[in-house]
């Protein structure tokens, strides 16, 4: 909702909301905005320009919030319940954020569908920045996120279950890691996302059997004989 | 597109298109409309009323085309490329169907996103009926479908890959069978959808091990000692 005065540029009645996952310190995190002068939070979102494809709009919105281009992202659901967005909340929000009283015929007061995207990014590379309506854009542990406006909690829940579902099926987890990583890093990621403990030997055997990892030099920290190998994801084609 | 003159009722710039799967005579089929006075085909679609939730709109559209209620359906993708729908094709289509010349500012000439739903129905229970723009609404074998307008071929392809992907994961295939069926019927369905042969003993063992089938009486055709058991799907909770 960063350009609310430029509605003429955008497709009517439809928004994009992005659940942006990062991984750091054994925690799965998502990026949240805090609206100015409120304690209300939301996942980052935006609108679709007349001349943009859907995925281009999502990439632009993600770039605006993270500074990153070529982000791994996927549609996961369209949120379209007729009561998904309360106009009373919207009015109170806009009043708090910039003192504006939305008139009943303002385009934002119409019904909106929202296309949910989830994105997986390398936490260490992102530079989160708030939009025009928010004070902060920060990482929150998935287990301790604040209450979100509208149906954004449902969005996060559904994005997380999609991420879990596809972690094995599509090997998408590597998007959450730096380019090189140890087998421990990888197992740690899987355990965190799936919220379960995995057997080290089984996990390692399975990952190596997939033929998707290139083994590099050892990671040079601590005693050389205990140094773990570094790996790089080489794709699954 | 069955109510093109009632745009005021509907959300702007967004449609629903439905890939409706049925299974009959060892063939996976989909329902297609043939537009009046043309040899152009499309999957059934429609718009979303102001007072409808998304899934309600999809159920209504499916009921209009099949006579069935409570159909198994799922969103699978939003088609939103800016050039997905050619206005030249649209104009030629409307001219052929009912002699109307669409003016450049007609609401149909604006950009449209379409939310793709796939539906799985019991072929034996459906009564296909065309919409206001079409002559026929008929089943076509998935292997021999005619050329479709706009991006509808891509929709069918993506719906089919989603169906294949979820056949095991979500056990959705039972929606394509009558209430009772033999193990052969079930295997036949899996082989057809997945386009592959399966080992009879392995398939049977796997299906029985899932605890989702209730065994009923034998099917009374042919010799009693060779009569196969009938089964009913009891859910996977």
């Amino acid at each position: 909702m960063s350009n609310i005065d430029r509605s003429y540029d955008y497709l009517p009645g439809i928004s994009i909301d992005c659940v942006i996952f990062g991984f750091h310190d054994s925690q799965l995190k998502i990026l949240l905005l805090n609206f100015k002068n409120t304690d209300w939070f939301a996942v980052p979102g935006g609108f679709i320009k007349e001349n943009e494809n859907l995925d281009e709009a999502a990439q632009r919105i993600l770039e605006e919030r993270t500074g990153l281009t070529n982000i791994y992202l996927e549609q996961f659901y369209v949120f379209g319940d007729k009561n998904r967005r309360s106009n009373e909340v919207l009015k109170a929000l806009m009043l708090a954020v910039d003192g504006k009283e939305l008139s009943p015929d303002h385009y934002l007061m119409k019904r909106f569908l929202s296309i949910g995207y989830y994105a997986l990014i390398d936490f260490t590379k992102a530079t989160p920045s708030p939009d025009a309506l928010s004070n902060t854009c920060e990482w929150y542990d998935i287990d301790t996120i604040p209450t979100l406006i509208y149906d954004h909690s449902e969005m996060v829940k559904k994005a997380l279950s999609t991420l879990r579902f596809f972690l094995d099926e599509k090997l998408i987890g590597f998007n959450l890691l730096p380019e090189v990583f140890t087998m421990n890093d990888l197992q740690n990621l899987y355990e965190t996302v799936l919220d379960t403990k995995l057997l080290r030997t089984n996990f390692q055997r399975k990952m190596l059997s997939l033929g998707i990892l290139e083994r590099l030099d050892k990671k040079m920290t601590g005693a050389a004989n205990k140094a773990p190998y570094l790996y790089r994801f080489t794709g699954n084609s």
Side-chain angles (χ1 to χ4, degrees), chain A:
Chain A
M1 294 200 286
S2 54
N3 290 289
I4 61 161
D5 292 326
R6 292 170 57 205
S7 66
Y8 54 88
D9 265 346
Y10 295 91
L11 301 187
I14 187 107
S15 60
I16 287 179
D17 283 302
C18 300
V19 180
I20 307 174
F21 290 105
F23 182 68
H24 188 63
D25 276 350
S26 297
Q27 290 282 351
L28 186 65
K29 293 167 189 284
I30 61 171
L31 266 185
L32 294 177
L33 298 170
N34 173 221
F35 290 110
K36 286 177 183 169
N37 312 317
T38 73
D39 53 4
W40 294 349
F41 291 81
V43 302
F47 302 118
I48 302 152
K49 292 181 184 172
E50 270 291 348
N51 64 350
E52 274 179 332
N53 292 329
L54 266 193
D55 285 356
E56 289 170 354
Q59 286 284 0
R60 172 180 51 78
I61 292 163
L62 285 161
E63 183 177 355
E64 286 167 1
R65 296 286 75 72
T66 65
L68 296 174
T69 54
N70 289 317
I71 295 175
Y72 179 88
L73 55 80
E74 297 273 1
Q75 290 179 19
F76 67 95
Y77 200 72
V78 186
F79 296 85
D81 279 1
K82 60 192 172 197
N83 300 319
R84 58 173 289 270
R85 222 182 57 151
S86 150
N87 272 353
E88 293 314 305
V89 171
L90 174 65
K91 279 166 74 175
L93 177 68
M94 296 308 291
L95 199 59
V97 166
D98 66 0
K100 262 192 201 152
E101 184 98 45
L102 288 188
S103 66
D105 61 346
H106 192 280
Y107 78 94
L108 278 177
M109 298 284 274
K110 301 226 185 323
R111 181 173 165 192
F112 265 75
L113 309 185
S114 188
I115 303 175
Y117 273 81
Y118 72 95
L120 307 180
I121 67 179
D122 177 352
F123 177 92
T124 62
K125 289 195 181 141
T127 311
S129 60
D131 68 11
L133 302 182
S134 54
N135 273 323
T136 59
C137 180
E138 293 179 330
W139 293 105
Y140 288 79
D141 289 355
I142 197 81
D143 296 327
T144 57
I145 56 178
T147 305
L148 305 178
I149 59 162
Y150 307 144
D151 51 357
H152 285 206
S153 293
E154 188 192 340
M155 288 180 180
V156 171
K157 203 173 148 192
K158 203 153 185 118
L160 182 59
S161 67
T162 307
L163 169 61
R164 285 182 175 149
F165 188 79
F166 285 124
L167 191 65
D168 266 348
E169 289 290 347
K170 293 189 177 175
L171 300 170
I172 56 179
F174 296 96
N175 294 290
L176 289 163
L177 290 176
E179 201 190 336
V180 299
F181 46 84
T182 66
M183 192 59 75
N184 264 353
D185 293 336
L186 185 59
Q187 181 168 350
N188 192 355
L189 169 69
Y190 268 68
E191 289 183 338
T192 304
V193 172
L194 299 175
D195 198 16
T196 188
K197 286 281 163 200
L198 301 167
L199 270 174
R200 190 178 166 283
T201 47
N202 287 358
F203 180 79
Q204 181 158 346
R205 190 182 312 120
K206 180 179 150 193
M207 280 297 151
L208 293 176
S209 75
L210 295 173
I212 53 169
L213 296 178
E214 178 189 6
R215 197 172 80 175
L216 308 169
D217 291 337
K218 288 196 173 189
K219 188 177 179 183
M220 282 309 144
T221 56
N225 64 331
K226 290 202 175 173
Y229 281 106
L230 290 168
Y231 292 90
R232 179 163 52 204
F233 179 61
T234 60
N236 52 330
S237 63

